[in-house]
């Protein structure tokens, strides 16, 4: 039996953010080796308010019923059983003092730490977690997103106030990631009973920030939780926040957001476009926090169910036709790097040496491969085989229109015609899942490499494996990574899966992009260990 023990005084705020392919906003889940954070030698001061701008307005502040737009707010208010070490990527106990996993991987037992209470004074117990997870699993709750992550759970038991037992249908290493996020945070049943359907406007958690008010379309105000004294070990401040208030302001237009940062009406701007970063990077009035996006690299995906792409030589040719560096310079203003692998930097299973199994930009060699595969240039300058021209439906969204146009031009140079169809995000996903395309882009933002299972296992065809990757070797490796709890075993499984996929040229990795947050220099101690900045250590220099 595997036993994991941890220190007292820890809170988990790692984020699940799933942006499955070309969606400008994110639904629910770190990618850098160490947290990106501000450093300052001045002694922290108490009091004041920080205003953070986000382009997303929450749909609800009930983590179970939200589609993921709640997380910048609710994750500041909560905690979780585990936390993910930002350096080692290990899952360590937080609201559990320790936990064990049975030899068969189907039983997880947690001992809940004492001395933790909800912001309404209710003590945290094992039953708090049982009631919370039962609520997620109850179909009547209509948990839009988080229920998916508890699907491996067969039953939840709390035999006493200190012991929580999760019985799984089968081993699932990926559930550890969910149990380290704010989406799995315990909710106050007292508050849910009190507010009923209005709980989403009156949330109560165990974290450093308490809910004060919410004006939909404008923003949410949180206040310091004076009783809080159980922060994660990587925070300098283990007690209540130094700030009086934290305001999360909704500004959907990026140009308006940047103007607000410039005039001082906000202190922190999130998800700043790469085109704006140069202005702030060397300006002493601001600090730019940046990190590579964890999850899947930004890729060009071929619909492998189509006859044209069932020839590996054709797939290799397409890999060689894409000038990745040119796309990074034109679309990202140079703020990214060429993707060497299928998953991004800092992820478990990332190894840049796997790039040797990929394909370098080489137009001449690509032409030879296409010619050898029977796709030769006809009198009209188009590639043709058996009387059929190589004309492709290229599905995209306005978010990636620049990338789409560049790829279209690169393919056109060798006689491959592609017709771009830009769709809004919801329609795009519906068409991609149905396989109504020949080419499309894909990316997925997630904290755990199990995102590869969701995106490339053959049983996900008709869902998010819309490239229709169907490979028994890949399937077996992804299943191994999904169920193994040993980190080295998981790492090797995902590395081997990537190697196989790159050898077979199933995808075309293009780039790994960055996420940017810009902070006014008067604000100190902002820590970025996951997708949203956290403010446990933050204070305002007066």
């Amino acid at each position: 039996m595997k036993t994991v023990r941890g220190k007292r005084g820890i809170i988990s705020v790692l984020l699940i953010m799933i942006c499955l392919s070309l969606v400008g906003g994110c639904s629910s889940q770190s990618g850098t080796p160490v947290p990106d954070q501000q450093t300052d030698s001045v002694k922290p001061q108490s009091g004041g308010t920080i205003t953070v701008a986000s382009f997303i307005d929450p749909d609800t502040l009930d983590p179970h019923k939200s589609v993921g737009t709640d997380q910048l707010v609710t994750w500041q208010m909560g905690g979780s059983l585990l936390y993910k070490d930002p350096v080692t990527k290990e899952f360590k106990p937080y609201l559990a003092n320790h936990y064990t996993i049975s030899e068969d991987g189907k039983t997880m037992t947690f001992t809940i730490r004492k001395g933790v209470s909800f912001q309404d004074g209710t003590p945290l117990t094992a039953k708090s977690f049982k009631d919370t997870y039962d609520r997620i699993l109850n179909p009547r709750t209509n948990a839009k997103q988080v229920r998916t992550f508890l699907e491996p759970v067969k039953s939840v038991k709390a035999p006493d106030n200190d012991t929580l037992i999760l019985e799984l249908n089968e081993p699932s290493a990926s559930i550890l990631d969910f149990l380290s996020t704010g989406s799995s945070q315990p909710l106050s049943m007292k508050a849910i009973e009190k507010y009923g359907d209005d709980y989403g406007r009156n949330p109560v958690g165990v974290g450093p920030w308490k809910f004060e008010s919410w004006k939909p379309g404008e923003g949410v105000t949180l206040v310091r939780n004076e009783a809080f004294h159980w922060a994660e070990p990587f925070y300098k401040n283990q007690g209540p926040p130094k700030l009086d208030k934290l305001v999360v302001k909704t500004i959907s237009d990026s140009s308006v957001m940047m103007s607000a940062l410039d005039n001082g009406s906000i202190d922190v701007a999130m998800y700043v476009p790469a085109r704006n970063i140069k202005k702030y990077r060397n300006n002493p009035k601001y600090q730019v926090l940046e990190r590579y996006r964890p999850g899947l690299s930004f890729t060009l995906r071929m619909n492998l169910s189509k006859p044209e792409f069932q020839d590996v030589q054709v797939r290799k040719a397409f890999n060689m036709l894409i000038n990745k560096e040119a796309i990074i310079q034109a679309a990202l203003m140079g703020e990214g790097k060429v993707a060497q692998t299928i998953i991004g930097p800092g992820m478990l299973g990332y190894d840049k040496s796997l790039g040797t199994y990929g394909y370098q930009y080489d137009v001449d060699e690509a032409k030879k491969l296409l010619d050898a595969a029977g796709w030769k240039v006809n009198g009209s300058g188009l590639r043709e085989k058996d009387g059929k021209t190589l004309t492709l439906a290229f599905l995209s969204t306005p978010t990636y229109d620049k990338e789409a146009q560049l790829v279209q031009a690169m393919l056109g140079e060798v006689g491959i015609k592609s017709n771009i169809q830009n769709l809004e995000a919801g329609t795009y996903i519906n068409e991609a899942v149905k396989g109504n395309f020949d080419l499309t882009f894909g990316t997925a933002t997630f904290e755990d490499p199990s995102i590869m299972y969701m995106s490339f296992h053959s049983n996900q065809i008709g869902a998010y494996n819309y490239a229709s990757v169907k490979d028994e070797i890949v399937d077996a490796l992804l299943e191994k990574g999904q169920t193994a709890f040993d980190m080295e075993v998981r790492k090797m499984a995902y590395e081997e899966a990537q190697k196989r996929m790159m050898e077979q040229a199933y995808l075309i990795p293009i780039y790994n992009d960055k996420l940017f947050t810009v902070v006014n220099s008067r604000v100190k101690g902002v820590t970025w260990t996951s997708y949203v900045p956290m403010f446990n250590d933050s204070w305002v220099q007066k």
Side-chain angles (χ1 to χ4, degrees):
M1 178 176 289
K2 178 181 178 182
T3 302
V4 185
R5 297 184 182 275
K7 301 176 182 178
R8 295 180 62 85
I10 313 167
I11 187 173
S12 176
V13 290
L14 291 175
L15 182 67
I16 297 173
M17 282 178 112
I18 306 172
C19 301
L20 283 166
S21 206
L22 310 179
V23 182
C26 298
S27 61
S28 144
Q29 160 344 358
S30 18
T32 47
V34 293
D36 196 353
Q37 59 187 6
Q38 294 176 296
T39 56
D40 199 279
S41 59
V42 181
K43 184 178 180 180
Q45 302 170 12
S46 297
T49 298
I50 290 178
T51 300
V52 183
S54 172
F55 64 85
I56 301 174
D57 192 45
D59 54 344
T60 174
L61 297 180
D62 184 336
H64 299 171
K65 297 183 178 183
S66 176
V67 297
T69 56
D70 65 304
Q71 294 172 351
L72 175 57
V73 175
T74 60
W75 287 44
Q76 311 284 346
M77 297 177 59
S80 51
L81 282 169
L82 310 177
Y83 79 101
K84 190 175 184 180
D85 189 297
V87 177
T88 68
K89 310 303 179 188
E90 294 177 283
F91 294 103
K92 299 180 178 180
Y94 164 41
L95 293 179
N97 277 327
H98 71 273
Y99 70 100
T100 60
I101 301 172
S102 63
E103 293 296 337
D104 65 3
K106 294 184 178 182
T107 302
M108 306 178 74
T109 304
F110 302 84
T111 299
I112 306 304
R113 61 184 294 177
K114 299 180 184 297
V116 178
S117 61
F118 287 97
Q119 294 149 1
D120 60 6
T122 306
L124 178 71
T125 66
K127 190 173 186 301
S128 305
F129 281 101
K130 172 177 167 50
D131 290 344
T132 294
Y133 295 163
D134 284 346
R135 182 175 187 258
I136 293 174
L137 292 168
N138 188 336
R140 289 178 295 179
T141 303
N142 192 26
K144 294 180 173 65
Q145 205 175 68
V146 294
R147 188 181 180 188
T148 301
F149 298 106
L150 280 184
E151 282 183 352
V153 176
K154 181 179 180 180
S155 66
V156 185
K157 301 175 183 176
D160 55 57
N161 284 339
D162 301 327
T163 308
L164 177 73
I165 301 172
L166 300 184
E167 297 284 355
L168 308 183
N169 292 305
E170 59 184 7
S172 173
S174 62
I175 197 173
L176 295 176
D177 191 77
F178 174 69
L179 298 178
S180 73
T181 71
S183 291
S184 69
Q185 66 177 278
L187 304 184
S188 168
M189 292 300 121
K190 178 181 177 181
I192 289 173
E193 291 172 6
K194 177 179 179 180
Y195 295 109
D197 291 340
D198 288 331
Y199 174 79
R201 297 187 61 83
N202 299 275
V204 176
V206 298
W209 296 98
K210 296 195 301 183
F211 176 77
E212 182 179 78
S213 63
W214 176 23
K215 294 182 179 179
E218 296 184 24
V220 178
T221 298
L222 305 178
V223 296
R224 176 175 58 228
N225 178 8
E226 296 286 0
F228 183 77
H229 55 83
W230 43 83
E232 285 125 312
F234 54 80
Y235 287 118
K236 296 177 181 179
N237 176 24
Q238 293 291 297
K242 298 295 182 182
L243 299 167
D244 294 326
K245 292 187 177 183
L246 178 65
V247 176
V248 179
K249 188 173 184 179
T250 302
I251 304 178
S252 58
D253 187 299
S254 63
S255 61
V256 175
M257 183 184 294
M258 302 323 295
S259 294
L261 183 67
D262 292 343
N263 65 33
S265 58
I266 65 171
D267 302 298
V268 181
M270 293 179 53
Y271 308 118
V272 176
R275 65 179 179 270
N276 297 118
I277 290 303
K278 185 177 181 180
K279 171 182 176 181
Y280 299 99
R281 178 164 274 141
N282 298 313
N283 188 331
K285 294 181 180 179
Y286 304 95
Q287 182 172 0
V288 175
L289 304 182
E290 60 187 81
R291 61 195 296 266
Y292 280 101
R293 184 191 302 272
L296 299 181
S297 300
F298 182 81
T299 60
L300 180 64
R301 300 189 187 183
M302 301 160 280
N303 188 337
L304 303 182
S305 69
K306 299 299 178 75
E308 298 89 339
F309 296 120
Q310 290 175 10
D311 186 336
V312 66
Q313 300 306 319
V314 172
R315 300 197 298 268
K316 289 179 180 179
F318 270 70
N319 269 267
M320 295 176 184
L321 288 171
I322 305 304
N323 187 338
K324 302 174 184 181
E325 187 58 48
I327 293 175
I328 291 170
Q329 294 302 319
L332 302 181
M333 308 300 288
E335 297 288 353
K337 64 181 179 182
V338 171
Q340 300 295 333
T341 61
I342 293 170
I343 60 177
M347 293 283 289
L348 180 70
Y350 172 80
D351 183 350
K352 66 179 181 181
S353 69
L354 291 172
T356 59
Y357 298 99
Y359 307 90
Q360 300 300 312
Y361 176 57
D362 190 335
V363 175
D364 290 337
E365 183 62 24
K367 289 178 179 178
K368 293 177 184 178
L369 290 175
L370 289 169
D371 287 341
W375 291 101
K376 298 183 178 181
V377 179
N378 63 19
S380 301
L382 296 176
R383 294 274 168 180
E384 180 180 309
K385 180 179 180 180
D386 299 331
K388 178 184 178 182
T389 59
L390 192 50
T391 301
L392 305 173
F394 193 166
L395 193 64
S396 186
T397 71
T399 303
Y400 296 109
D401 187 51
K402 173 69 76 174
E403 287 90 336
Q405 291 184 43
L406 290 166
V407 169
Q408 182 185 52
M410 292 170 190
L411 298 179
E413 288 178 1
V414 298
I416 300 171
K417 183 178 180 181
S418 57
N419 299 313
I420 298 172
Q421 183 182 15
N422 275 327
L423 302 175
E424 59 86 20
T427 304
Y428 165 82
I429 290 177
N430 287 333
E431 292 301 303
V433 166
K434 292 175 183 176
N436 293 334
F437 68 92
D438 297 310
L439 293 174
T440 191
F441 292 123
T443 184
T445 307
F446 205 66
E447 296 288 348
D448 189 79
S450 59
I451 188 63
M452 287 191 65
Y453 182 96
M454 302 178 207
S455 301
F456 306 123
H457 194 284
S458 63
N459 69 11
Q460 299 297 308
I461 294 174
Y464 287 115
N465 180 4
Y466 46 79
S468 294
V469 177
K470 189 175 183 180
D471 186 314
E472 291 181 356
I473 295 175
V474 172
D475 282 354
L477 289 166
L478 296 181
E479 289 165 9
K480 189 174 184 179
Q482 186 83 345
T483 57
F485 286 99
D486 184 287
M487 286 186 66
E488 190 59 31
V489 173
R490 293 193 81 203
K491 177 176 179 290
M492 291 299 296
Y494 290 117
E495 287 178 355
E496 288 298 314
Q498 290 177 88
K499 177 182 174 182
R500 169 69 178 178
M501 292 179 68
M502 294 174 73
E503 286 175 335
Q504 295 298 311
Y506 288 144
L507 306 173
I508 305 172
I510 298 179
Y511 62 64
N512 298 116
D513 60 332
K514 294 179 180 179
L515 301 173
F516 297 99
T517 289
V518 181
V519 183
N520 187 302
S521 61
R522 82 184 189 99
V523 174
K524 311 297 181 183
V526 177
T527 304
W528 200 3
T529 61
S530 188
Y531 264 90
V532 295
M534 301 302 293
F535 303 92
N536 297 52
D537 288 340
S538 300
W539 55 281
V540 176
Q541 189 169 33
K542 300 173 183 177

